[in-house]
Every structure is written in C-alpha cells, then in structure tokens.
Amino acid sequence: MFCIVSDELNFCCVFQTLHNLMETQNNVTEFVFIGLWGNKKIDLLFFFLFLFCYLAVLMGNFIILLTITCSHLMQQPMYYFLCHLSLMDVSYTSTVVPRLIRDLAAARRNISYNNCMAQLFAAHLLAGVEIFILMFMAFDRYIAIVKPLHYMVIMNRQRCDMLMVLAWALGFWHSIALLLMVLKLPFCGPNQIDHYLCDVKPLLKLVCKDIHVVSILVIANSGMVVVVIFLVLVASYIVILYNLRTHSSAGRKKALSTCSSHITIVVLFFVPCIYTYVLPAGSKNKDKDISVFYTVIAPMLNPLIYTLRNTEMKITIRKVWTKVAHSGLK
C-alpha cells in the first residue's frame, strides 16, 4: 500500500497497519466449546433436560409478560419491574441456552470469533440489566414498606422509566468495558473453551500473554460490582424486615410473602455470580457447572416463585387467561 501526502490516505495506511498487527497477534478465527461434561450419553440426556428447561423459561415468563401487560398490574411499580425482569430472563436465556442445546446434540461445538464476542457482549448486557432491575425492585419494596405515604409520589411512572433507562445504561457500560478489554487480547491457540458459552473468564485462559492485570480488571468490573450490589440488597431487606414490626399482622404477612420471593431470586442469581466472578481466571473452580444456576435455573424458577407466592398475581392470571379463552371461543 502506497501512502501519499493526502490525510485520507494516511489514515487508511494507519488503519491497515493496525489491522495487520491485530491479525498477527490473533491467530484464532473460531473457538470450540468443550461443554459441560464431554460424555455423549450424558449430553443426550441433558439435551432433553435443557430443552425442557428452555421451554419452561419461555412459557413461564411469557405468561407473566402477557398477564401484566394485559391487566391493571402494569400500573403498579412492582409489577412494572417484574415485567421487565421476565423480558430480561427470556432474552438472556435465549443468548445462551439455544446454542447449549444445539451443542449437546452436535458433533462439533464451534463458534466463530465474531459470534463469540457478540455472545459475550449480549450476555453481559442482559445480565447487567437484570441485576439492576433486581436492585430497583428491592428499592421499590423499601419505599413501599418504609415510606408508604410517599410511595406513589416517589415511585411514579416517570421515575420507573428513568430507572429502566439507567439499568440499560449501566448494563451497556459494564458489557462494553468487558468487550473492549477482551478484543485487545491476543489469542494464539489453543482455541478450546472449557465452557458452554463465551464468557470472559474461560476466554482469559486462552490468552497468550500475562493476564494478571486483566484478571484484576475483570474482578473489579464484574466480581466486586456483583458483591457490592448483593450487599446493598441484603442491607435493604434487613431494613425492610426491621420496619415490618410496626405493620399489622395481615400487612406483615403480605409484605413477607413478597420480600421472601425477591430474596429467593436474589440468592439464586447473585450467589453463583459471586462465586464465578470474584475468583481469578486462573483458579481451578467449577465455573461452568455453577453458571447453570444463573443462566438456566433462576430464569426458569422466577415465574414459579413470583406467581405461586403471590395471591394477586394468581388471581390476575386466572382472570386474564379466562378472558383470552372466552375471546378465543368466540
């Protein structure tokens, strides 16, 4: 390539040089997943299990989405956030589980470099948004129980919309920071990922340079953030439970039922995440086994936990689906 005096051509030359440099540092064009177990008989068994789980995730969360959006519940902040949580569960699971199901039945579990980076970005974006939604749901319950007289003023629809925009902005910042960090890393081979999805920690094990600094940045970006938010959530629920002493017996029972559902979801999602992202990348741990909890189990159980322990939700589900059935018969 000839570089002339023109600024435009000089820019092209610099870009081409950087592109060639990246190509020499990165010899990997695709990755191969090792998967969860590597045993064909077990893989076939879990193919049907994960297929059932994914269908349960779709059906359960779509029931919640349809029930809330087609009823008066959408006007209440708690169900507004629950609707968005169900949407995130469906979206997040769909970035991971369909490929996992396909790979369990496939002879070769390969993924291109670009698709791997896209999955990394999408999974962390959606998981990040879900984490902040769970935090806002705890904030909503805190205001409802600690400051009930000011609840409708504080948690108005405009503020709920602003909180959702904030959740997406923070989730995007988290995921784009991780993506840019990984894109700068050289992969010279081998290309086998000891996992069933493209995540930052298994990818770091394939980098052909020292990763101590990058591991610290990953722990700061993901691990410490998850720990801090989890501690904030725990503290908020402790304050909520403390303030329930002044409520009536019926009000206390209703609030405890709602908060216990939230606490169950928080524990199911955050504890495995903390285990996965707080430990350094080089350590020997069961990341891929533990990650099943927040990629499959928690999204599948969310609808059950929020409906079986919520009388108002159960009544509304019956009303909405009875109405749908009657309109279908007509």
Side-chain angles (χ1 to χ4, degrees):
M1 178 182 285
F2 296 98
C3 297
I4 324 176
V5 183
S6 167
D7 290 340
E8 184 178 350
L9 289 177
N10 281 335
F11 175 76
C12 291
C13 290
V14 172
F15 180 80
Q16 185 65 38
T17 305
L18 289 173
H19 183 264
N20 293 336
L21 182 61
M22 287 178 67
E23 283 188 337
T24 57
Q25 289 181 339
N26 193 355
N27 301 325
V28 174
T29 57
E30 69 171 14
F31 296 100
V32 178
F33 294 122
I34 293 177
L36 279 167
W37 299 279
N39 185 309
K40 279 295 176 186
K41 292 181 180 178
I42 296 177
D43 285 349
L44 190 60
L45 173 66
F46 278 92
F47 169 84
F48 293 105
L49 178 62
F50 283 118
L51 179 61
F52 169 79
C53 290
Y54 183 57
L55 293 175
V57 169
L58 295 179
M59 185 174 69
N61 284 289
F62 275 127
I63 287 173
I64 286 183
L65 283 167
L66 188 60
T67 301
I68 294 175
T69 53
C70 296
S71 70
H72 66 284
L73 293 180
M74 194 64 178
Q75 305 305 317
Q76 300 181 36
M78 182 178 77
Y79 295 105
Y80 171 86
F81 289 124
L82 178 57
C83 184
H84 283 279
L85 181 68
S86 291
L87 183 61
M88 287 305 102
D89 278 338
V90 170
S91 303
Y92 175 60
T93 309
S94 297
T95 64
V96 176
V97 180
R99 178 171 285 276
L100 168 61
I101 294 169
R102 190 210 71 170
D103 288 344
L104 286 169
R108 193 161 185 267
R109 304 162 179 175
N110 61 311
I111 182 172
S112 69
Y113 178 87
N114 290 336
N115 286 342
C116 183
M117 295 302 110
Q119 187 186 53
L120 171 72
F121 174 77
H124 277 271
L125 170 63
L126 297 169
V129 174
E130 182 160 346
I131 283 172
F132 290 110
I133 290 174
L134 288 170
M135 187 171 70
F136 297 149
M137 290 176 78
F139 175 70
D140 170 73
R141 290 301 85 201
Y142 172 83
I143 298 298
I145 293 168
V146 178
K147 297 183 178 182
L149 298 177
H150 301 90
Y151 177 68
M152 294 311 298
V153 176
I154 297 173
M155 297 304 296
N156 56 54
R157 177 48 64 89
Q158 185 180 5
R159 184 162 281 112
C160 289
D161 290 338
M162 286 176 60
L163 288 174
M164 281 308 306
V165 171
L166 180 63
W168 278 97
L170 292 172
F172 179 80
W173 173 84
H174 157 74
S175 56
I176 198 69
L178 276 181
L179 178 65
L180 293 175
M181 198 184 305
V182 174
L183 286 174
K184 292 178 181 179
L185 299 174
F187 296 95
C188 311
N191 66 340
Q192 288 189 324
I193 301 176
D194 188 15
H195 215 291
Y196 59 88
L197 76 152
C198 282
D199 202 1
V200 61
K201 281 185 65 180
L203 283 171
L204 287 182
K205 295 178 182 179
L206 305 181
V207 174
C208 49
K209 77 168 194 177
D210 185 73
I211 59 166
H212 284 92
V213 175
V214 181
S215 293
I216 293 170
L217 292 175
V218 168
I219 292 171
N221 181 287
S222 300
M224 289 301 103
V225 170
V226 173
V227 170
V228 169
I229 293 175
F230 179 70
L231 292 176
V232 169
L233 289 172
V234 170
S236 67
Y237 282 117
I238 290 172
V239 174
I240 288 170
L241 294 174
Y242 179 78
N243 280 271
L244 283 176
R245 298 175 307 144
T246 58
H247 287 62
S248 64
S249 178
R252 193 160 52 238
K253 186 178 179 181
K254 182 180 178 181
L256 280 172
S257 176
T258 304
C259 289
S260 62
S261 299
H262 291 184
I263 293 168
T264 304
I265 296 302
V266 164
V267 170
L268 276 174
F269 193 86
F270 276 86
V271 172
C273 282
I274 290 170
Y275 175 88
T276 302
Y277 294 106
V278 166
L279 297 176
S283 59
K284 296 288 182 181
N285 49 40
K286 297 186 179 294
D287 285 353
K288 62 181 179 181
D289 300 323
I290 297 296
S291 63
V292 172
F293 281 94
Y294 57 82
T295 56
V296 183
I297 305 299
M300 182 179 66
L301 294 180
N302 279 1
L304 291 174
I305 292 169
Y306 279 113
T307 53
L308 294 179
R309 298 181 62 86
N310 190 319
T311 305
E312 188 177 15
M313 191 73 184
K314 285 189 285 187
I315 293 170
T316 309
I317 286 174
R318 278 196 288 268
K319 285 181 180 178
V320 169
W321 288 94
T322 302
K323 187 178 178 181
V324 170
H326 283 316
S327 62
L329 289 173
K330 292 177 181 178

